[in-house]
Structures are given as C-alpha cells and as structure tokens.
C-alpha cells in the first residue's frame, strides 16, 4: 500500500477512535510501516498532514463509510465480546449480592460490581440481592437509597430482593455476642493509640486475656455505660500475624451520630456485618475488587470462629477511571461549594452524569464487562464506551448543523436551498431545508475560519463551493457546485445563516456556544442527535436550547 493511502487509512482510524485525526500519531505510524521514509521526515510530515486534513474535512458518517470500505475488520473487532470465565465452586444455586454504601449515587466504579454480579446471577439462573451497607451513620445520605435504586434501574440491574443492614442491627448484636461466647472476640477498652502501639509491636492488649463472663459484661455496658470511642468488640486473630492490619481487628463500635433509619448506638463494622449477612442470606459467590483481599481474610476469621462454610471469593483488579471525579465526599463538597451543579454534572463519572450526556446503559454494561474478571489492574476504556454507545445511538440520531464559535462569512453568490438529509442511511426520514438568500451572510466555525487564506477554496457542506477573497473580514465568492472539487482535498465547512438561533453545548472539558440549525427546534428533552462534524449530543433544555455532549 502506498504511503499516502496508508496515512489516509490510519488517519481514518485515528479520527473514528478519537473524534479527530492528529498528525503526530499518523506520522508515527507511517514511519513505523515505512522505515525508508525516516530519511525524508519532511516528506513523511507532508503526507501525514495531507491525510489528516482530508480526513478531518469529512463528516463522521463519511469517515466511518470510507473506513468500512478500506478496512472492514476495524469494526468487526469492535463487535467481539469477551467471554467471562465461569465462577469457581458450585454454581447450581448461585446467590450473589451488590452491596453499596448509601453515601451518594452510583458511579462507573460501582457499575462494574453491579453489572458483574448481575451478569453471573443471570448466567446461572441464580439470585441477586441489593444490600445497603448502612451501619456507619456518619456516611449515610438519606437520599442515596432512592438514588441508588434509580441508578440500578437505569443500568438494567433488577435485584431479586433488597436488604437494609440498618434493619438488622439486632442480628449483628446477637452474633457479636456469640463471638464473645466462643472466645472468638473480646471487648477492648484500650485507647486507640495505645492499642495500635501494642498491635504494631505484636503484643496483646490487657483486655485480650479477660474471661468470657467479663467480656459479656463489657459488651452489655457498650449499650449504656461506655461512650463513643471508649469500647470496641475485637475479633481474636493472631497478635503475631505477619500483616498488622489483621491482628485483632474491630468488629463493633459505639457511635452517637444520628442514623436516618434506626435508633442505635452500637454498630457493626463492615467485616462483621458482611460476614454475618453473607452467611445468613446464603451468598454463594462474592465478586469484588482485590482491594478487599484483606477484608476477605478478616471475614474468614469470623467464619472460622462461628464454624461456618465461607462463600467462594473472586477478586478482580482495580479499574482506574481516569478523567473524572468519583469520590463521593469530594463531589459532595464541590456541589456544596458550587463547583458542580449536582450529582449529574457532566464533568463527573456518576451514572447520572453519564446518562445525562446521552450514553446508553447498555453501552456502560458492555464496556465494564469487556474488562473481565482479571486480577490485573486496568484503565477504564472511554474509547470502548463511546464506540459501544455510537453503535446504539447512531441509527436513531438525526443529523443537524451546529456551528461552534461562529465567525461571520459574507458570500457573493446566488440564492440557494440546501436540503441535507436527516440521516444519510435513512432517506425515508426526509431532509431539512435551509434557505440561503442571494449574497448571504453566513457563519462558519471560527476554528476553520482561522485556517483560511485568500485564494483558498472550500465547500460549504450540502451547499456550494467558495473561493476566499478576504480574511479580515472573511469574504468569499461562489465558484460553483461541482463535487469534484473534493478530490483536491479542499476542506468541508459547517455553516448556517447568520440569524440562526443560538445554543450551548455542555462538555466535560469546557462548553461550546454557537449557532443551531433552526430545524432542531422541534426536538424534545432527551433526544439524541448528531451535530455533523462535531459529535453526538443530547438535548438537555428546550428554551433556550442546551445540549450535553456525548462523544464524537
């Protein structure tokens, strides 16, 4: 394949993947495929720059069409679905759970756990329940229960039942007392710093040797006599365990913080409540991140003390979701400070923000499943998410013109009626009509206008061809409507009449304002469209029109 064709093909691939072709990657690919060009770097740069200019002048539809013609395997690779491995152990009556803390709505990190558990419950015809781990009153947001249930419904996760740990406080009291009775736990009244010093020195605290009856008495006093931080139930492990974090870890503590659902002051910590619930509710498989490996070991101590058979544990690697804020506490602080407009601010990685941008839940499911169950850490693939969503929304998204950062263009030319199709693959949907008067005043993207020079030729998409006669102010003359001009690599510019309505597109990396095609006035909130040569957007507000950017 000739270098020019190679560069054009790779520029197409680069643009389809990232929304716009860039010269650097194209040139790097070209030099890698053609070592002989390394002695002519300037020539390689010219070839790469020409290919990038040609590709970026095409609409997203035209790029995809040309790429399908040149390399159909590129899209076949996108359709390959990764087969997830079978779970270990007996899966004939699989019971799984998704167990969020109700401190805020769900984000992409939560989506992986929710979808993986839902997937395996469905694969084995098993049961999935939603368990709200809400036994830390300081971390409970009363609104989060409903937010999470709504997020799961959007994601297509339908739990068979819902459990609130705050409804089960007395159950945890019962099993904490059983641990004390079998000498699997004791009540520690040592100051926290003093206990940590002893733990780190692999020495037992003075509370550890106390007899069962004394520990039972201390446990009863936790409900009335001891104050917050004065007593805790600790699970007895090995004071010389190689991992200090596993040495006599806490299982219950006192909290005076108010809880929105229960009146209590002695609460279980996560490892006790999780072990008790997983056993009593019949959980057969626990799927969670490898950051929970230490918790798994802690919970196994509880299982051993109580003589229970543990479930199968499957730990996957950390999924790093770059480019967005996921920390619930940080998001809440920034919402309170006015930096974010709410949990659905499109700068965020919450499912509400993702959905507001016009990304379908099926695309989220496919993407998180594509990362599999490997214990290796991985980077969340935004590229895969956008590719999956593009396949879902492309067919139903009508096309419209949007001119960001409009620059005025005065044309000497005839009147004309442009009739671009609503969708290039669906002629039955009809066309949009855009009237252009004689010698019209139009707007084009300022980014394109800045690249023009006197004498340059260009095509206004679905309208006619022009030759630039002035750049300050920007003027051009009509030079016909022959499409063969495109063979010379002339740029295709988006355009609209200068009196077109204004709109704003909210983007995670900065908003765009510009002119909107009048035909888009009939859209409804939630409609997803493709602004040609710009990207897919979802209508967020009608008057004045505001869109949220999804992806290219």
């Amino acid at each position: 394949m000739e270098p020019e064709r190679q560069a054009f093909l790779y520029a197409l691939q680069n643009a389809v993947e990232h929304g716009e072709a860039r010269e650097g990657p194209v040139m790097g690919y070209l030099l890698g495929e053609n070592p002989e060009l390394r002695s002519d770097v300037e020539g390689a740069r010219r070839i790469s720059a020409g290919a990038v200019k040609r590709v970026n002048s095409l609409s997203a539809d035209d790029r995809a069409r040309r790429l399908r013609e040149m390399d159909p395997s590129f899209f076949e690779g996108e359709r390959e679905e990764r087969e997830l491995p079978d779970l270990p152990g007996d899966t004939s009556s699989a019971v799984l759970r998704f167990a969020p803390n109700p401190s805020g709505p769900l984000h992409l990190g939560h989506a992986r756990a929710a979808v993986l558990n839902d997937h395996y419950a469905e694969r084995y015809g098993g049961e999935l329940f939603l368990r709200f781990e809400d036994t830390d009153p300081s971390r409970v947001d009363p609104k989060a229960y409903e937010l999470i249930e709504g997020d799961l419904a959007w994601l297509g996760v339908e739990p068979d039942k819902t459990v609130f740990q705050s409804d089960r406080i007395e159950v945890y009291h019962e099993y904490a007392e059983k641990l004390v009775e079998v000498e699997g736990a004791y009540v520690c009244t040592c100051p926290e710093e003093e206990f940590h010093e002893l733990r780190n020195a692999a020495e037992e605290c003075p509370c550890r040797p106390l007899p069962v009856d004394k520990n039972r008495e201390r446990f009863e006093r936790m409900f009335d006599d001891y104050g917050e931080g004065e007593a805790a139930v600790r699970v007895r492990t090995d004071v010389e365990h190689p991992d200090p974090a596993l040495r006599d870890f806490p299982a219950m503590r006192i909290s005076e913080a108010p809880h929105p659902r229960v009146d209590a002051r002695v609460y279980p910590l996560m490892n006790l409540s999780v072990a008790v619930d997983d056993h009593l509710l019949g959980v057969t498989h626990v799927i969670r991140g490898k950051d929970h490996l230490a918790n798994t070991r802690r919970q196994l101590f509880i299982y051993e003390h109580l003589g229970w058979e543990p479930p199968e544990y499957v730990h996957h690697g950390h999924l790093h979701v770059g480019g967005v804020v996921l920390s619930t506490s940080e998001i809440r602080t920034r919402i309170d400070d006015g930096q974010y407009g709410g949990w659905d601010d499109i700068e965020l990685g919450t499912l509400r923000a993702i959905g507001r941008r016009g990304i379908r839940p099926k695309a989220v499911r496919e993407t998180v499943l594509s990362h599999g169950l490997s214990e290796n850490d991985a980077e969340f693939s935004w590229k895969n998410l956008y590719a999956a969503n593009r396949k879902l929304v492309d067919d139903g998204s009508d096309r419209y013109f949007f001119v960001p950062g409009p620059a005025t263009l005065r044309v000497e030319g005839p009147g004309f009626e442009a009739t671009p199709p609503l969708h290039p693959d669906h002629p039955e949907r009809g066309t949009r009509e855009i009237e252009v008067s004689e010698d019209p005043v139009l707007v084009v993207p300022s980014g394109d206008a800045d690249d023009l020079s006197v004498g340059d030729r260009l095509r206004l998409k679905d309208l006619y061809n022009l030759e630039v006669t002035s750049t300050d102010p920007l003027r051009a003359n009509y030079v016909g409507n022959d499409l063969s001009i495109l063979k010379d690599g002339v740029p295709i510019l988006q355009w609209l009449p200068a009196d077109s309505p204004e709109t704003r597109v909210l983007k995670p990396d900065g908003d765009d304002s510009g002119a909107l095609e009048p035909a888009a006035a009939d859209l409804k909130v939630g409609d997803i469209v493709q602004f040609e040569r710009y990207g897919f957007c979802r209508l967020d507000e009608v008057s004045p029109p505001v869109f949220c950017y999804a992806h290219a």
Side-chain angles (χ1 to χ4, degrees), residues 81-87 96 111-126 128 156-157 287 365 368-369 373:
E81 294 185 4
R82 189 173 190 171
E83 182 65 25
L84 292 173
D86 282 326
L87 295 179
L96 301 101
R112 186 185 196 188
V115 169
L116 279 171
N117 281 282
D118 185 58
H119 170 86
Y120 279 108
E122 183 176 342
R123 175 189 283 196
Y124 297 120
L128 173 72
V157 175
I287 301 174
R365 290 183 66 99
V368 297
L369 288 176
L373 263 184

Side-chain angles (χ1 to χ4, degrees), residues 90-166:
D90 183 4
T91 57
S92 59
S93 300
V95 178
L96 301 101
R97 43 73 161 182
F98 173 61
N101 179 283
S103 57
L106 302 182
H107 55 60
L108 286 170
H110 297 123
R112 186 185 196 188
V115 169
L116 279 171
N117 281 282
D118 185 58
H119 170 86
Y120 279 108
E122 183 176 342
R123 175 189 283 196
Y124 297 120
E127 184 179 12
L128 173 72
F129 65 84
L130 166 64
R131 184 174 70 211
F132 285 109
E133 297 191 347
D134 59 348
T135 59
D136 183 350
S138 65
R139 297 182 60 200
V140 174
D141 178 352
K143 298 178 181 178
Y145 298 100
E146 187 175 344
L147 293 175
I148 289 172
E149 289 178 325
D151 289 341
L152 289 177
W154 179 83
L155 200 54
V157 175
E158 299 181 8
D160 294 285
K161 61 183 175 183
T162 300
V163 175
F164 298 84
Q165 287 193 332
S166 56

Side-chain angles (χ1 to χ4, degrees), residues 456-509:
D456 283 352
R457 292 198 168 194
L458 60 98
R459 178 169 180 81
L460 297 182
K461 190 177 189 305
D462 296 306
L463 190 59
Y464 45 50
N465 307 327
L466 300 175
E467 182 174 313
V468 178
T469 58
S470 168
T471 58
D472 190 14
L474 185 59
R475 296 179 181 274
N477 288 343
Y478 170 80
V479 291
N481 203 3
D482 186 355
L483 291 177
S484 64
I485 192 175
L486 297 178
K487 295 180 180 179
D488 299 327
V490 302
I492 302 175
L493 269 61
Q494 203 79 320
W495 63 276
L496 281 171
D499 60 354
S500 297
E502 296 181 356
T503 191
R504 186 160 58 105
V505 178
L506 308 181
K507 301 176 69 177
D509 57 353

Side-chain angles (χ1 to χ4, degrees), residues 1 25 65 105 116 231 246 349 357 514 541:
M1 186 184 295
R65 178 180 58 78
L116 279 171
L246 298 184
R357 289 172 54 186
E541 299 177 22

Side-chain angles (χ1 to χ4, degrees), residues 269-341:
L269 279 90
M270 186 268 284
N271 285 298
L272 176 64
S273 59
V274 165
V276 169
D277 282 345
D278 285 348
H279 173 71
L280 296 182
L281 298 174
V283 173
T284 61
H285 294 80
V286 175
I287 301 174
R288 56 187 179 187
K290 66 181 182 182
D291 53 313
H292 281 284
L293 278 167
N295 287 325
T296 296
R297 297 186 185 105
R298 293 185 184 102
Q299 290 159 31
L300 288 174
F301 278 110
I302 296 174
Y303 273 83
E304 183 177 354
H305 286 314
L306 295 173
W308 295 341
E309 186 71 24
E312 297 282 354
Y313 291 98
V314 179
H315 299 92
H316 54 72
H318 175 67
L319 184 62
H320 176 67
V321 184
V324 292
V325 178
L326 298 182
S327 167
T328 300
S329 59
E330 183 176 348
I331 294 173
R332 188 186 306 280
T333 298
R334 295 193 185 187
I335 290 175
D336 293 341
D337 291 345
Q339 296 181 53
Y340 295 141

Side-chain angles (χ1 to χ4, degrees), residues 171-180 272 276 280 306 308:
V171 175
Y172 310 130
H173 292 164
E174 176 187 348
Y175 282 92
E177 190 168 12
K178 285 186 177 181
L179 281 170
V180 168
L272 176 64
V276 169
L280 296 182
L306 295 173
W308 295 341

